[in-house]
Amino acid sequence: MAKKRPQTKAARPQLTDGEIPVVGAREPCPCGSGRRYKACHGRAAAQAATELVHRPFEGLPGECDWVALRELVPAATVELTLKSGLPEGVPSVTLATVLPMAWPALRRDDGSVLLGLQNDTASGDISRDLADTLQRALEAKPGTPVQGRRAPAEGPRLQDLLDPKGAFEPVVHPGFEFWVPDPENATPEVTASLERANAAAIPTAKLQGVDAAYWCETPEKNHLRWVMPHPEEQLLDALARLHAAGRSNLGEGTRLVGSFRAHGLTVPVWDLPSGVTAEAIEKPAVEFAERLAAALATDAPLTADERRARGGLTNRQVTLS
């Protein structure tokens, strides 16, 4: 019997992680390892797609307002400034809370771009998903929406695309008329979507005297929801000091009822009487900000009353994201 020759394996081309394309989970990995994609390079890609980034807007101008527009505000827009400037044929890039038919983004007929913020995202990093949508919107044909997809794990984030020195100044709208520059010529689908959105929008206003505080009106009572940048434990201690001292309200009939977490930040919430307007709460909010600053600067241990107040605030805290 003839002796078998030892077989030599041909050298496989070495691919870097960035060169490995995405294939089906059960298909052989393109790197040539012989394993299925999901057990090889697909494992890292899946982890990157699902790993939750707790503060996706950290490092962006107006982080607190990003959180508010994502979670609290029905209708608002912000002009965005790109690091590299506007591409040719793109006169503006505007962030919008919601777009018609829940489009992730829209390239208008005039070439301008609208980027939707309150959309479901495919990964645990909202910033990366939004950046991917923005890049595709900048390259889309005028007059077309951009559909959602899973962003590449190695793709840029908003922090890579937006100018860190650019202003972030939200404009709150009473409705969604900003969707259509010419409502009379809007398609029936867009018109119907606009009517539904306007009917569901809760009246909301941004306070001018303090940062990232939003008043809203509901049938039974009004509310103030204030996104704050301070570390959670330090903020809860400060709120507890004020609450125990009877100084956590915003005027007669108002009450600090608790807080919630959203995208790594804490959002205290006040109940307001139905007659208290956004304008009426401006001065009390400024005065509260001064009291809060003093409480944040205090590092003395909490008293028994302050610990009880903190426990009450903590028990009423929920997490949105």
Side-chain angles (χ1 to χ4, degrees):
M1 181 178 292
K3 188 176 181 180
K4 292 184 178 180
R5 295 181 180 179
Q7 295 182 351
T8 58
K9 295 183 179 180
R12 297 190 182 100
Q14 298 297 312
L15 301 177
T16 64
D17 288 351
E19 296 173 324
I20 305 298
V22 176
V23 299
R26 295 180 177 276
E27 295 181 47
C29 187
C31 75
S33 66
R35 292 181 291 174
R36 291 178 177 178
Y37 178 70
K38 70 175 184 179
C40 191
H41 280 82
R43 180 179 299 171
Q47 181 178 0
T50 58
E51 185 175 356
L52 178 64
V53 177
H54 291 281
R55 287 183 64 179
F57 308 117
E58 184 177 13
L60 291 173
E63 179 188 6
C64 294
D65 284 308
W66 276 93
V67 172
L69 267 56
R70 169 77 181 184
E71 299 295 339
L72 307 177
V73 183
T77 55
V78 186
E79 295 297 316
L80 298 180
T81 305
L82 305 185
K83 276 185 180 180
S84 56
L86 293 171
E88 184 177 357
V90 180
S92 64
V93 174
T94 303
L95 181 73
T97 48
V98 180
L99 294 180
M101 273 79 79
W103 289 327
L106 170 66
R107 182 84 184 273
R108 282 178 158 165
D109 291 334
D110 66 356
S112 61
V113 168
L114 289 177
L115 176 66
L117 181 57
Q118 295 180 11
N119 292 303
D120 292 334
T121 53
S123 78
D125 187 353
I126 298 172
S127 178
R128 194 178 308 281
D129 290 331
L130 288 171
D132 177 69
T133 301
L134 174 57
Q135 283 190 313
R136 290 186 291 125
L138 293 172
E139 298 173 353
K141 294 181 179 179
T144 60
V146 175
Q147 303 301 328
R149 72 171 188 181
R150 188 181 74 182
E154 71 282 358
R157 307 178 72 238
L158 288 174
Q159 289 81 347
D160 301 315
L161 302 182
L162 301 183
D163 185 349
K165 298 180 180 179
F168 192 83
E169 300 175 352
V171 177
V172 178
H173 303 277
F176 296 88
E177 282 72 20
F178 65 85
W179 283 352
V180 283
D182 186 6
E184 294 182 358
N185 293 323
T187 65
E189 293 82 2
V190 171
T191 300
S193 182
L194 177 61
E195 291 175 351
R196 289 193 299 269
N198 282 343
I202 295 174
T204 301
K206 185 180 189 300
L207 298 195
Q208 301 303 308
V210 294
D211 292 333
Y214 290 81
W215 168 96
C216 69
E217 180 182 22
T218 61
E220 295 184 357
K221 62 182 70 174
N222 299 341
H223 304 280
L224 183 73
R225 297 174 291 186
W226 193 339
V227 186
M228 295 187 172
H230 316 292
E232 180 179 350
E233 297 302 314
Q234 182 186 7
L235 176 58
L236 289 175
D237 281 352
L239 291 173
R241 296 181 196 278
L242 295 176
H243 202 60
R247 306 182 69 206
S248 64
N249 61 51
L250 298 173
E252 184 178 356
T254 68
R255 184 167 67 99
L256 174 64
V257 294
S259 63
F260 59 86
R261 302 183 189 93
H263 307 293
L265 299 183
T266 304
V267 187
V269 179
W270 285 262
D271 279 352
L272 313 173
S274 58
V276 175
T277 64
E279 293 78 10
I281 211 69
E282 285 279 4
K283 182 179 178 182
V286 171
E287 293 171 346
F288 177 84
E290 295 172 353
R291 298 196 299 273
L292 180 63
L296 286 167
T298 303
D299 57 4
L302 297 179
T303 66
D305 287 343
E306 291 168 348
R307 288 197 300 273
R308 282 192 291 271
R310 194 186 195 283
L313 292 172
T314 303
N315 290 338
R316 297 192 296 271
Q317 191 177 49
V318 298
T319 301
L320 295 185
S321 56

